[in-house]
Amino acid sequence: MTDQKVAIVTGGARGIGRAIAVELARAGYYLVINYRANDQAAEEALAMVRAAGSDGEKVKFDVREAAAVDAALQDIFSRFKTIDVLVNNAGITADGLFIMMPEEDWNSVIDTTLKGFYNMTKPVLKKMVRNKRGSVVSISSVAGLVANRGQANYSAAKAGLLAASRSIGAEVARLGVRMNVVAPGLIETEMIRDAPIERIKEVIPMNRIGKPEEVARVVRFLCSDDASYITGQVIGVNGGMF
Ligand code: NDP
Protein backbone atom coordinates (compact mmCIF):
# COMPACT_ATOMS: atom_id res chain seq x y z
CA MET A 1 0.00 0.00 0.00
CA THR A 2 1.33 3.40 -0.86
CA ASP A 3 0.60 6.78 0.72
CA GLN A 4 0.64 8.78 -2.51
CA LYS A 5 -2.37 10.98 -3.28
CA VAL A 6 -4.49 9.20 -5.87
CA ALA A 7 -6.88 10.61 -8.47
CA ILE A 8 -9.18 8.58 -10.73
CA VAL A 9 -10.36 10.24 -13.95
CA THR A 10 -13.00 8.43 -16.01
CA GLY A 11 -12.63 9.00 -19.74
CA GLY A 12 -9.18 10.33 -18.93
CA ALA A 13 -7.50 9.26 -22.16
CA ARG A 14 -8.71 12.01 -24.49
CA GLY A 15 -10.06 15.55 -24.57
CA ILE A 16 -11.08 17.21 -21.32
CA GLY A 17 -10.33 14.09 -19.24
CA ARG A 18 -6.77 13.92 -20.52
CA ALA A 19 -6.20 17.61 -19.70
CA ILE A 20 -7.57 16.99 -16.20
CA ALA A 21 -5.25 14.01 -15.74
CA VAL A 22 -2.22 16.09 -16.73
CA GLU A 23 -3.25 19.01 -14.53
CA LEU A 24 -3.72 16.71 -11.52
CA ALA A 25 -0.37 15.05 -12.27
CA ARG A 26 1.24 18.50 -12.03
CA ALA A 27 -0.42 18.86 -8.62
CA GLY A 28 1.30 15.63 -7.48
CA TYR A 29 -1.46 13.03 -7.80
CA TYR A 30 -0.90 9.47 -8.97
CA LEU A 31 -3.32 9.14 -11.89
CA VAL A 32 -5.68 6.27 -12.62
CA ILE A 33 -6.73 6.95 -16.21
CA ASN A 34 -9.90 5.11 -17.17
CA TYR A 35 -11.04 4.74 -20.78
CA ARG A 36 -13.32 2.49 -22.81
CA ALA A 37 -11.68 1.61 -26.12
CA ASN A 38 -8.86 3.80 -27.41
CA ASP A 39 -5.64 2.15 -26.12
CA GLN A 40 -3.34 4.47 -28.02
CA ALA A 41 -4.97 7.60 -26.60
CA ALA A 42 -4.67 6.14 -23.09
CA GLU A 43 -0.98 5.38 -23.67
CA GLU A 44 -0.42 8.99 -24.81
CA ALA A 45 -2.28 10.36 -21.80
CA LEU A 46 -0.16 8.25 -19.45
CA ALA A 47 3.03 9.48 -21.15
CA MET A 48 1.84 13.07 -20.63
CA VAL A 49 1.13 12.38 -16.95
CA ARG A 50 4.69 11.08 -16.57
CA ALA A 51 6.10 14.06 -18.47
CA ALA A 52 4.19 16.28 -16.02
CA GLY A 53 6.28 14.80 -13.20
CA SER A 54 3.99 12.18 -11.69
CA ASP A 55 3.05 8.59 -12.44
CA GLY A 56 -0.10 6.62 -13.07
CA GLU A 57 -1.74 3.74 -14.87
CA LYS A 58 -4.37 3.23 -17.55
CA VAL A 59 -7.36 1.06 -16.73
CA LYS A 60 -9.71 -0.06 -19.49
CA PHE A 61 -13.35 -0.58 -18.55
CA ASP A 62 -16.79 0.67 -19.47
CA VAL A 63 -18.22 2.81 -16.66
CA ARG A 64 -21.69 1.47 -17.55
CA GLU A 65 -20.70 -2.08 -16.58
CA ALA A 66 -21.09 -2.50 -12.80
CA ALA A 67 -19.08 -5.73 -12.58
CA ALA A 68 -16.18 -4.33 -14.60
CA VAL A 69 -16.10 -1.14 -12.52
CA ASP A 70 -16.20 -3.14 -9.31
CA ALA A 71 -13.31 -5.40 -10.36
CA ALA A 72 -11.17 -2.42 -11.39
CA LEU A 73 -11.90 -0.48 -8.20
CA GLN A 74 -11.23 -3.43 -5.90
CA ASP A 75 -7.82 -3.82 -7.50
CA ILE A 76 -7.08 -0.10 -7.03
CA PHE A 77 -8.38 -0.09 -3.44
CA SER A 78 -6.12 -3.04 -2.59
CA ARG A 79 -3.05 -1.04 -3.60
CA PHE A 80 -3.79 2.49 -2.32
CA LYS A 81 -4.70 3.64 1.17
CA THR A 82 -6.81 6.55 -0.02
CA ILE A 83 -8.57 7.73 -3.13
CA ASP A 84 -8.31 11.50 -2.83
CA VAL A 85 -10.02 12.57 -6.03
CA LEU A 86 -12.62 11.11 -8.38
CA VAL A 87 -13.44 12.96 -11.59
CA ASN A 88 -16.56 11.63 -13.32
CA ASN A 89 -15.73 12.83 -16.82
CA ALA A 90 -16.68 9.98 -19.19
CA GLY A 91 -19.55 11.08 -21.40
CA ILE A 92 -20.94 10.65 -24.88
CA THR A 93 -23.49 12.35 -27.12
CA ALA A 94 -26.06 10.79 -29.48
CA ASP A 95 -27.94 13.85 -30.71
CA GLY A 96 -31.31 13.94 -32.43
CA LEU A 97 -34.78 15.38 -32.07
CA PHE A 98 -36.58 13.68 -29.20
CA ILE A 99 -39.57 12.44 -31.23
CA MET A 100 -37.17 10.64 -33.59
CA MET A 101 -34.78 9.39 -30.90
CA PRO A 102 -34.14 5.63 -30.82
CA GLU A 103 -34.32 4.07 -27.35
CA GLU A 104 -30.71 2.96 -27.78
CA ASP A 105 -29.56 6.62 -28.07
CA TRP A 106 -31.55 7.60 -24.99
CA ASN A 107 -30.15 4.70 -22.97
CA SER A 108 -26.52 4.90 -24.05
CA VAL A 109 -26.19 8.58 -23.13
CA ILE A 110 -28.07 8.31 -19.83
CA ASP A 111 -26.23 5.13 -18.87
CA THR A 112 -22.75 6.47 -19.61
CA THR A 113 -23.34 9.59 -17.54
CA LEU A 114 -25.68 8.50 -14.76
CA LYS A 115 -25.13 4.74 -14.41
CA GLY A 116 -21.42 5.48 -14.79
CA PHE A 117 -21.68 8.08 -12.04
CA TYR A 118 -23.47 5.60 -9.75
CA ASN A 119 -21.10 2.71 -10.47
CA MET A 120 -18.00 4.82 -9.80
CA THR A 121 -19.08 7.26 -7.12
CA LYS A 122 -20.74 4.90 -4.62
CA PRO A 123 -17.72 2.65 -3.91
CA VAL A 124 -15.20 5.50 -4.10
CA LEU A 125 -17.30 7.64 -1.78
CA LYS A 126 -17.45 4.81 0.78
CA LYS A 127 -13.67 4.72 0.81
CA MET A 128 -13.42 8.53 1.04
CA VAL A 129 -15.88 8.65 3.92
CA ARG A 130 -13.89 5.97 5.78
CA ASN A 131 -10.76 8.10 5.34
CA LYS A 132 -12.69 11.31 6.16
CA ARG A 133 -11.31 13.07 3.11
CA GLY A 134 -11.87 13.31 -0.61
CA SER A 135 -13.19 15.38 -3.46
CA VAL A 136 -15.50 14.29 -6.27
CA VAL A 137 -15.86 16.50 -9.34
CA SER A 138 -18.32 15.56 -12.07
CA ILE A 139 -18.31 17.06 -15.55
CA SER A 140 -21.78 18.21 -16.53
CA SER A 141 -22.49 20.67 -19.35
CA VAL A 142 -24.17 23.96 -20.13
CA ALA A 143 -26.71 21.64 -21.82
CA GLY A 144 -27.72 20.44 -18.35
CA LEU A 145 -28.69 24.00 -17.42
CA VAL A 146 -30.36 25.49 -20.50
CA ALA A 147 -32.53 24.24 -23.35
CA ASN A 148 -30.61 22.67 -26.20
CA ARG A 149 -32.57 21.34 -29.18
CA GLY A 150 -31.48 17.87 -30.27
CA GLN A 151 -29.91 16.96 -26.93
CA ALA A 152 -32.81 15.80 -24.71
CA ASN A 153 -30.90 12.67 -23.68
CA TYR A 154 -27.66 14.55 -23.03
CA SER A 155 -29.40 17.43 -21.20
CA ALA A 156 -31.32 15.00 -19.00
CA ALA A 157 -28.13 13.10 -18.15
CA LYS A 158 -26.12 16.23 -17.41
CA ALA A 159 -28.89 17.82 -15.30
CA GLY A 160 -29.21 14.54 -13.39
CA LEU A 161 -25.51 14.62 -12.68
CA LEU A 162 -25.66 18.01 -11.01
CA ALA A 163 -28.84 17.22 -9.07
CA ALA A 164 -27.34 13.97 -7.76
CA SER A 165 -24.07 15.69 -6.86
CA ARG A 166 -25.84 18.38 -4.84
CA SER A 167 -27.89 15.84 -2.87
CA ILE A 168 -25.00 13.48 -2.23
CA GLY A 169 -22.82 16.49 -1.41
CA ALA A 170 -25.25 17.39 1.39
CA GLU A 171 -25.12 13.79 2.65
CA VAL A 172 -21.32 13.67 2.94
CA ALA A 173 -20.47 17.30 3.74
CA ARG A 174 -19.99 16.54 7.44
CA LEU A 175 -17.87 13.51 6.66
CA GLY A 176 -14.95 15.35 5.07
CA VAL A 177 -15.89 14.75 1.43
CA ARG A 178 -16.75 17.48 -1.08
CA MET A 179 -18.86 16.98 -4.24
CA ASN A 180 -18.83 19.60 -6.98
CA VAL A 181 -19.76 19.91 -10.63
CA VAL A 182 -18.11 21.71 -13.52
CA ALA A 183 -20.39 22.64 -16.40
CA PRO A 184 -18.34 23.48 -19.50
CA GLY A 185 -19.65 25.29 -22.54
CA LEU A 186 -18.20 24.43 -25.92
CA ILE A 187 -14.69 22.94 -25.52
CA GLU A 188 -12.30 22.01 -28.31
CA THR A 189 -12.30 18.18 -28.38
CA GLU A 190 -13.33 15.38 -30.73
CA MET A 191 -16.82 15.47 -29.17
CA ILE A 192 -17.68 18.72 -30.98
CA ARG A 193 -16.03 17.91 -34.31
CA ASP A 194 -19.41 18.05 -36.13
CA ALA A 195 -20.79 21.10 -34.27
CA PRO A 196 -21.45 24.33 -36.23
CA ILE A 197 -18.64 26.16 -34.42
CA GLU A 198 -18.86 29.50 -36.28
CA ARG A 199 -22.59 29.81 -35.58
CA ILE A 200 -22.23 28.83 -31.92
CA LYS A 201 -19.34 31.26 -31.38
CA GLU A 202 -21.78 34.12 -32.02
CA VAL A 203 -23.69 33.27 -28.83
CA ILE A 204 -20.55 32.98 -26.71
CA PRO A 205 -19.74 36.40 -25.21
CA MET A 206 -16.00 35.66 -25.42
CA ASN A 207 -16.53 34.70 -29.07
CA ARG A 208 -14.34 31.63 -28.88
CA ILE A 209 -14.35 27.93 -28.03
CA GLY A 210 -12.75 26.90 -24.73
CA LYS A 211 -9.67 24.73 -24.32
CA PRO A 212 -9.63 21.48 -22.30
CA GLU A 213 -6.94 23.00 -20.07
CA GLU A 214 -9.31 25.81 -19.08
CA VAL A 215 -11.70 23.21 -17.66
CA ALA A 216 -8.88 21.18 -16.12
CA ARG A 217 -7.55 24.10 -14.08
CA VAL A 218 -10.96 24.61 -12.46
CA VAL A 219 -11.17 20.91 -11.63
CA ARG A 220 -7.71 21.03 -10.07
CA PHE A 221 -8.77 24.03 -7.96
CA LEU A 222 -11.95 22.27 -6.79
CA CYS A 223 -9.91 19.22 -5.76
CA SER A 224 -7.38 21.29 -3.83
CA ASP A 225 -7.46 22.59 -0.25
CA ASP A 226 -7.93 26.08 -1.72
CA ALA A 227 -11.55 24.97 -2.29
CA SER A 228 -11.95 23.59 1.23
CA TYR A 229 -15.30 25.41 1.84
CA ILE A 230 -16.81 24.68 -1.57
CA THR A 231 -19.22 21.79 -1.92
CA GLY A 232 -22.49 21.12 -3.75
CA GLN A 233 -21.66 23.80 -6.33
CA VAL A 234 -21.87 23.98 -10.10
CA ILE A 235 -19.13 26.06 -11.73
CA GLY A 236 -19.65 27.15 -15.33
CA VAL A 237 -16.63 27.29 -17.66
CA ASN A 238 -18.26 28.67 -20.77
CA GLY A 239 -16.89 32.04 -21.91
CA GLY A 240 -19.88 33.82 -20.40
CA MET A 241 -22.45 31.75 -22.33
CA PHE A 242 -24.77 31.34 -19.36
P1 NDP B 1 -14.23 13.01 -25.82
O1 NDP B 1 -15.21 12.34 -26.70
O2 NDP B 1 -13.10 13.79 -26.43
O3 NDP B 1 -13.60 11.95 -24.79
C1 NDP B 1 -14.44 11.13 -24.07
C2 NDP B 1 -13.65 10.20 -23.17
O4 NDP B 1 -14.60 9.43 -22.42
C3 NDP B 1 -12.79 9.21 -23.92
O5 NDP B 1 -11.59 9.00 -23.20
C4 NDP B 1 -13.64 7.93 -23.93
O6 NDP B 1 -12.87 6.73 -24.00
C5 NDP B 1 -14.32 8.05 -22.58
N1 NDP B 1 -15.56 7.26 -22.50
C6 NDP B 1 -16.69 7.40 -23.23
N2 NDP B 1 -17.61 6.48 -22.85
C7 NDP B 1 -17.04 5.76 -21.85
C8 NDP B 1 -17.46 4.67 -21.05
N3 NDP B 1 -18.68 4.14 -21.20
N4 NDP B 1 -16.61 4.16 -20.14
C9 NDP B 1 -15.37 4.70 -19.97
N5 NDP B 1 -14.90 5.74 -20.69
C10 NDP B 1 -15.73 6.25 -21.62
O7 NDP B 1 -15.11 13.95 -24.88
P2 NDP B 1 -14.78 15.37 -24.21
O8 NDP B 1 -13.41 15.37 -23.67
O9 NDP B 1 -15.21 16.44 -25.12
O10 NDP B 1 -15.84 15.35 -23.00
C11 NDP B 1 -15.50 14.97 -21.68
C12 NDP B 1 -16.69 15.27 -20.78
O11 NDP B 1 -17.00 16.66 -20.85
C13 NDP B 1 -17.96 14.53 -21.22
O12 NDP B 1 -18.68 14.15 -20.08
C14 NDP B 1 -18.73 15.59 -21.99
O13 NDP B 1 -20.11 15.35 -21.97
C15 NDP B 1 -18.36 16.84 -21.22
N6 NDP B 1 -18.52 18.07 -21.95
C16 NDP B 1 -17.86 18.29 -23.13
C17 NDP B 1 -18.02 19.48 -23.82
C18 NDP B 1 -17.31 19.79 -25.10
O14 NDP B 1 -17.65 20.81 -25.73
N7 NDP B 1 -16.33 19.00 -25.53
C19 NDP B 1 -18.91 20.52 -23.31
C20 NDP B 1 -19.55 20.20 -22.05
C21 NDP B 1 -19.35 19.02 -21.42
P3 NDP B 1 -12.46 6.06 -25.43
O15 NDP B 1 -11.69 7.09 -26.19
O16 NDP B 1 -11.64 4.87 -25.05
O17 NDP B 1 -13.77 5.73 -26.09
Side-chain angles (χ1 to χ4, degrees):
M1 287 248 185
T2 89
D3 282 336
Q4 194 175 359
K5 287 191 302 180
V6 177
I8 303 174
V9 182
T10 68
R14 292 193 285 119
I16 294 171
R18 179 190 285 193
I20 292 169
V22 172
E23 193 64 35
L24 292 175
R26 279 200 199 105
Y29 291 90
Y30 179 94
L31 258 302
V32 177
I33 299 168
N34 155 257
Y35 66 108
R36 181 187 46 178
N38 192 331
D39 298 312
Q40 196 193 326
E43 199 55 59
E44 287 167 12
L46 185 54
M48 289 171 75
V49 158
R50 288 180 176 143
S54 189
D55 199 4
E57 59 192 88
K58 53 190 175 68
V59 189
K60 187 176 186 173
F61 61 85
D62 187 326
V63 294
R64 293 174 294 185
E65 303 293 336
V69 172
D70 196 50
L73 288 180
Q74 289 319 315
D75 173 54
I76 295 161
F77 292 170
S78 72
R79 290 182 287 122
F80 297 97
K81 264 191 205 149
T82 62
I83 305 299
D84 302 275
V85 164
L86 168 64
V87 183
N88 288 303
N89 165 79
I92 57 166
T93 53
D95 295 352
L97 292 176
F98 181 67
I99 54 172
M100 312 287 281
M101 187 175 286
E103 188 178 358
E104 158 62 19
D105 287 359
W106 178 266
N107 288 342
S108 62
V109 170
I110 300 276
D111 284 356
T112 302
T113 296
L114 290 181
K115 188 92 193 317
F117 173 90
Y118 175 84
N119 287 341
M120 293 296 301
T121 307
K122 193 174 156 189
V124 171
L125 211 51
K126 278 188 186 165
K127 191 162 169 79
M128 287 178 168
V129 164
R130 264 200 302 278
N131 292 318
K132 297 190 173 55
R133 76 172 213 235
S135 173
V136 178
V137 178
S138 299
I139 309 300
S140 177
S141 166
V142 70
L145 297 160
V146 297
N148 211 11
R149 273 179 297 173
Q151 288 202 311
N153 49 357
Y154 188 70
S155 300
K158 293 302 193 183
L161 201 57
L162 59 92
S165 297
R166 281 197 192 114
S167 293
I168 300 164
E171 292 175 13
V172 298
R174 291 171 194 212
L175 304 172
V177 180
R178 296 181 296 105
M179 301 271 305
N180 289 293
V181 173
V182 172
L186 215 65
I187 307 297
E188 199 179 317
T189 71
E190 280 171 46
M191 182 175 269
I192 63 155
R193 64 179 176 270
D194 298 327
I197 306 281
E198 289 309 314
R199 190 162 56 74
I200 297 171
K201 263 165 61 175
E202 283 168 26
V203 300
I204 304 173
M206 284 190 182
N207 195 232
R208 69 172 178 86
I209 306 300
K211 295 185 190 339
E213 294 72 22
E214 293 179 295
V215 179
R217 288 196 289 269
V218 177
V219 174
R220 192 241 304 129
F221 164 70
L222 287 172
C223 295
S224 75
D225 288 343
D226 289 341
S228 55
Y229 199 50
I230 301 178
T231 195
Q233 302 303 305
V234 181
I235 314 287
V237 182
N238 56 33
M241 210 171 168
F242 174 67

